[in-house]
Amino acid sequence: MSPRAHRIWLWAKRMAPWALAALVLALVAQQARTVEWPAVWASLQQMPAQRLALAVAIAVLSYAVYAGFDLVGRRLTQHGLSVPRTLGTAAISYAFNLNFGALVGGFAMRLRLYTRWGLQAATVAKVIALSMATNWLGYLWVAGAVLLWSPPRLPASDWLPGAGSLRAIGAVMLALALVYLVLCARSKERTLRWRSHALPLPGGRLALLQLATGGASWLLIASIVWVLFDGHVAYAVVLGALLMAAVAGVITHVPAGLGVLEAVFVATLSGTVPATEVLAVVLAYRAAYYLLPLVLALPAYLWSEAVARRGGGAARVATTGAQDGAQNDSREAPRARLQPRPTKGI
C-alpha cells in the first residue's frame, strides 16, 4: 500500500465511527419528529402499578448481578475490600455509568470510590477491565445466540444486513465467547499481557461464571422491557432490540442512549406494536432502570464519601491490599523470572 493510500485508509478508519454515529443520530431526530408525545404520555399513565413494581424488582436483581462482576476482579486481584463494600461501589458506579456515560460512571466514579477505600489505581484498573470483560462476554454469547437462532426483523434497507448475514455474525460471536472459555481453561499462564499491561486471567470455572453472570445481566434487562410490554411482544424480539440498542448507544456515545434506545425499539417493533406504546414502555423502562437507581445512588455516593473521609476502614483496606499485593508479587516473582519476554502486541 502506497503512503497516500495508507493515509487515506487511516483517515477513513478514524472517520467511520463518527459517520455512523451521525447517521444513527439523524435517524433518531427524524423519528422524534414523527412521535405523538401526548399519546405516549397517555399510554404511560395507563400502565398498572403492579407491572411497574415487577419491573422495578427485576431491575434491582439485575443491578445485583451486574455489581457481582466486580467480585471477579476482587478474586483475581486479591484486594482487601469486603464483599458488601465492593458490591455497593459497583452498583453506585453502574447507576452513574448508565445515566452519564462510561467515562463518568464506569471509570471516574469507580476509581474515585475504590481509591477512597484504599485500593491502588492499578488494582482498580484491573477490576474495571475484568468487569467490562464479564459484561461484554455475556453480550457476545447472548447476542450470538439471538442472531443465530432468532435474528431480529430489521427495516428493509440496502445497507442493513439480512437474516443470513445476521446468523453468520451470531455464529462468530458465539465462537469468540467459546475461544475465551477455552483459553482460560487451557492456558498455563494466568496472565494476559498486551505491551506493558498485564491482566490476571481467570481459570475455566471462573471464566464460565463470567459468561453465566454476564449473560444473566442482559437477560434480566430484557425481562424488564418484556414485563412492561405485558407479554404482547415475544421475549426474543425484545431481547434482540435491546442488544441492538446497546451497540447503537455505544457507537453514538450519547449519555444514557437518549433517543437511540427509543429509535431502535420503534424501528424493530414497527408493524407489531403502536409507536406510542413502544415509547411509553421505553420511558417506563428508563424510569425503573436508569432514574430510580440514580436517585438511590446519589445519597449512597455521598454517604460513602463521608465514611471514607472519616477513615472508616480505608487505612485497613489499604494495608490489607498492600499485603495481598506483596504476597501475590512474591508468588508470581519466580514464575515471572522463568517466563519468556512477551512479544510485541500480545
Side-chain angles (χ1 to χ4, degrees):
M1 182 183 293
S2 65
R4 182 179 179 182
H6 182 65
R7 287 195 299 270
I8 294 174
W9 164 249
L10 291 178
W11 178 85
K13 187 177 179 180
R14 287 195 298 267
M15 293 302 297
W18 294 102
L20 185 58
L23 176 61
V24 173
L25 291 175
L27 293 174
V28 169
Q30 181 181 1
Q31 182 64 44
R33 287 195 297 268
T34 63
V35 173
E36 298 179 6
W37 292 106
V40 173
W41 177 246
S43 181
L44 183 61
Q45 289 179 311
Q46 293 173 2
M47 282 191 182
Q50 297 88 341
R51 197 189 308 172
L52 295 173
L54 180 57
V56 170
I58 300 174
V60 170
L61 180 59
S62 176
Y63 264 77
V65 172
Y66 189 94
F69 295 175
D70 279 27
L71 295 180
V72 176
R74 181 180 183 271
R75 170 76 177 273
L76 292 177
T77 61
Q78 295 293 306
H79 69 66
L81 201 61
S82 67
V83 170
R85 200 160 276 179
T86 300
L87 293 175
T89 299
I92 293 171
S93 302
Y94 186 44
F96 279 85
N97 184 10
L98 286 176
N99 287 277
F100 303 117
L103 187 61
V104 174
F107 295 94
M109 183 61 67
R110 262 198 182 100
L111 184 63
R112 171 70 176 178
L113 291 174
Y114 274 128
T115 53
R116 270 293 196 179
W117 294 124
L119 299 189
Q120 298 296 318
T123 301
V124 179
K126 292 178 181 179
V127 171
I128 294 173
L130 289 164
S131 176
M132 292 175 60
T134 302
N135 181 56
W136 290 108
L137 282 168
Y139 184 95
L140 271 180
W141 77 260
V142 170
V146 170
L147 293 178
L148 186 61
W149 284 289
S150 182
R153 295 180 182 178
L154 300 179
S157 175
D158 294 334
W159 56 273
L160 289 177
S165 299
L166 291 176
R167 286 191 170 93
I169 295 172
V172 171
M173 295 174 75
L174 283 173
L176 289 174
L178 182 60
V179 165
Y180 175 82
L181 188 60
V182 172
L183 176 66
C184 292
R186 298 293 182 86
S187 177
K188 295 181 180 179
E189 185 179 356
R190 296 264 63 88
T191 303
L192 187 64
R193 302 184 184 277
W194 182 74
R195 295 184 180 179
S196 60
H197 305 285
L199 187 69
L201 195 65
R205 291 183 179 179
L206 190 55
L208 186 60
L209 182 62
Q210 279 184 285
L211 266 69
T213 55
S217 174
W218 289 102
L219 294 173
L220 284 170
I221 297 172
S223 298
I224 300 171
V225 185
W226 180 72
V227 164
L228 291 171
F229 272 118
D230 198 24
H232 295 157
V233 182
Y235 178 79
V237 175
V238 172
L239 179 59
L242 176 75
L243 295 171
M244 288 191 297
V247 171
V250 170
I251 292 173
T252 55
H253 300 289
V254 177
L258 285 173
V260 178
L261 185 66
E262 290 81 356
V264 171
F265 266 94
V266 169
T268 305
L269 302 178
S270 59
T272 304
V273 180
T276 54
E277 183 180 345
V278 174
L279 291 172
V281 165
V282 174
L283 289 176
Y285 162 70
R286 282 192 178 281
Y289 201 67
Y290 287 69
L291 299 180
L292 181 58
L294 182 63
V295 170
L296 300 176
L298 284 170
Y301 165 68
L302 296 176
W303 174 83
S304 64
E305 284 280 2
V307 172
R309 192 176 294 112
R310 291 197 302 267
R316 177 175 52 80
V317 171
T319 303
T320 305
Q323 291 174 349
D324 289 337
Q327 292 173 359
N328 289 340
D329 291 342
S330 65
R331 288 196 296 264
E332 294 292 337
R335 188 190 306 173
R337 288 193 292 268
L338 296 176
Q339 289 175 351
R341 189 174 183 177
T343 57
K344 185 178 181 180
I346 297 179

